[in-house]
Amino acid sequence: MVQPVVIMADRHIRAHQLFTGISQQHLACLAEELADPWQAAVEGRRHEARGGAGKREAGAGARHRLVFIDRLVVTLIHLRHDLPHSVLALLFGVDRSTITRATGEIRRLLAERGCAVPDRPGLGPRTPADVFAHAQAEGIELRLHATGIQARRPVAGRGGRRAFVSGKKKQNTMKATVIGDHQGRTLWTDALQPGRMHDATAARNEGISTCFQHFPDVEVLLDDGCPRLRRAHPGQAVTPPGKGSKISPPEVLEARLRARHRHSSKRITVEHALADHKRWKQLVRWTHRRENLPATYRAIAG
């Protein structure tokens, strides 16, 4: 009789940066931050299942075959490399359904924690208002940009199917709006919109215009595609100057070109932030359920 072969890699190897995408120090900080919320969620589910408080002593009862740190590591590997659950189950020596539950739990915790700000523990902006308040208090100049992620096409016959077809990429996409700072750190990302929506419309739908009104000292660098925001909020929504017409004097054209280059050099940091997001394979091309993409993007961006 042929016996099944179980392949399990060493825990230190599985937690390496090549697999998880983050350093060992970052992983330790993340585990310390999420351990209590995860345990609270587990106890909440147990309390609801049994209909009251537990009668056993603390620590009694069944043990998890996949402990918390392994659940965190397997979720990061799944986000980073998009390995199938069956492959991860083989690496960790558990059933595929265990991997499915673990990744769902940890992904939700990662998405709810907000975007981490280095050197500011406890500060995790979750809304544009939080980001604008932080920028006004610290005197930070923000950068805003949107990117499309190729996703599954909605089923035939469903209303609003064309809303996901991007006019720029000619693909079915969902659009993520990202706000970053001058160091390329992601401070906030939205719940994602259909890919056909314009960048400026997506920003307005997330309440960016209201934030401009409540935080008048905050400046946000935008690209050429947001002239309405610039006209509605002069001095705050900053876009590059126009290229100039063909009849403009050479010195005017040269001055405009230098100004556009300076603006682009400042705004490039948010482009780098988006490039960091796309290093995680799940954001290169999303092949799973469309409703899970927003939580996945927030988990990775955070």
Side-chain angles (χ1 to χ4, degrees):
M1 182 177 179
V2 179
Q3 298 293 331
V5 178
V6 179
I7 303 175
M8 292 183 62
D10 183 80
R11 175 173 291 175
H12 296 288
I13 296 177
R14 296 192 303 242
H16 195 276
Q17 186 172 356
L18 292 175
F19 289 99
T20 62
I22 61 177
S23 64
Q24 296 279 350
Q25 182 180 3
H26 190 180
L27 178 62
C29 295
L30 204 57
E32 182 180 0
E33 178 184 349
L34 297 180
D36 290 340
W38 176 79
Q39 188 62 39
V42 171
E43 292 300 330
R45 289 195 299 271
R46 289 175 177 173
H47 187 279
E48 183 179 356
R50 61 179 171 245
K55 298 181 180 180
R56 293 179 177 179
E57 295 183 0
R63 300 290 191 272
H64 289 287
R65 292 193 61 188
L66 198 65
V67 297
F68 168 72
I69 185 63
D70 286 339
R71 289 171 181 255
L72 177 58
V73 169
V74 75
T75 303
L76 292 174
I77 295 176
H78 181 52
L79 295 174
R80 182 72 175 184
H81 301 284
D82 201 18
L83 293 178
H85 290 178
S86 56
V87 175
L88 294 172
L90 186 64
L91 291 176
F92 283 80
V94 296
D95 190 73
R96 184 192 59 80
S97 61
T98 303
I99 299 294
T100 302
R101 286 195 301 271
T103 53
E105 294 171 1
I106 302 301
R107 181 179 55 200
R108 183 168 57 253
L109 292 177
L110 290 171
E112 292 173 351
R113 67 189 287 269
C115 294
V117 178
D119 304 325
R120 297 294 300 273
L123 179 63
R126 291 174 173 82
T127 65
D130 294 340
V131 177
F132 274 68
H134 169 64
Q136 182 158 295
E138 301 292 333
I140 297 174
E141 187 180 54
L142 301 176
R143 283 96 168 122
L144 184 147
H145 195 54
T147 184
I149 302 167
Q150 187 177 355
R152 281 184 175 182
R153 176 183 297 182
V155 296
R158 179 173 295 179
R161 195 172 187 229
R162 291 186 58 193
F164 291 91
V165 180
S166 170
K168 180 179 180 180
K169 294 190 174 183
K170 303 298 188 294
Q171 295 174 339
N172 290 273
T173 62
M174 294 186 70
K175 180 165 293 185
T177 303
V178 174
I179 297 180
D181 62 4
H182 60 289
Q183 296 184 22
R185 299 176 297 197
T186 302
L187 300 180
W188 173 83
T189 183
D190 65 356
L192 277 76
Q193 304 290 345
R196 198 177 187 87
M197 185 177 295
H198 194 274
D199 296 0
T201 304
R204 287 197 298 270
N205 288 349
E206 295 298 331
I208 301 297
S209 296
T210 305
C211 293
F212 278 125
Q213 298 172 6
H214 288 89
F215 302 97
D217 297 333
V218 177
E219 291 186 3
V220 180
L221 301 184
L222 306 169
D223 60 8
D224 282 330
C226 303
R228 292 185 179 180
L229 283 176
R230 181 198 63 207
R231 291 193 293 266
H233 309 283
Q236 290 183 271
V238 183
T239 59
K243 296 181 180 179
S245 62
K246 296 181 179 179
I247 61 174
S248 300
E251 59 272 14
V252 173
L253 294 176
E254 182 66 24
R256 285 178 176 268
L257 185 61
R258 287 196 300 267
R260 289 175 65 87
H261 181 74
R262 287 194 300 268
H263 182 92
S264 223
S265 299
K266 290 182 178 180
R267 236 188 106 263
I268 195 64
T269 55
V270 72
E271 302 278 3
H272 292 163
L274 294 176
D276 288 338
H277 300 168
K278 296 294 182 70
R279 290 196 181 111
W280 296 70
K281 192 175 180 181
Q282 287 206 349
L283 297 185
V284 175
R285 185 177 184 272
W286 181 252
T287 58
H288 309 281
R289 292 180 179 270
R290 224 172 32 257
E291 56 269 21
N292 291 336
L293 178 55
T296 300
Y297 198 102
R298 287 196 298 267
I300 292 175

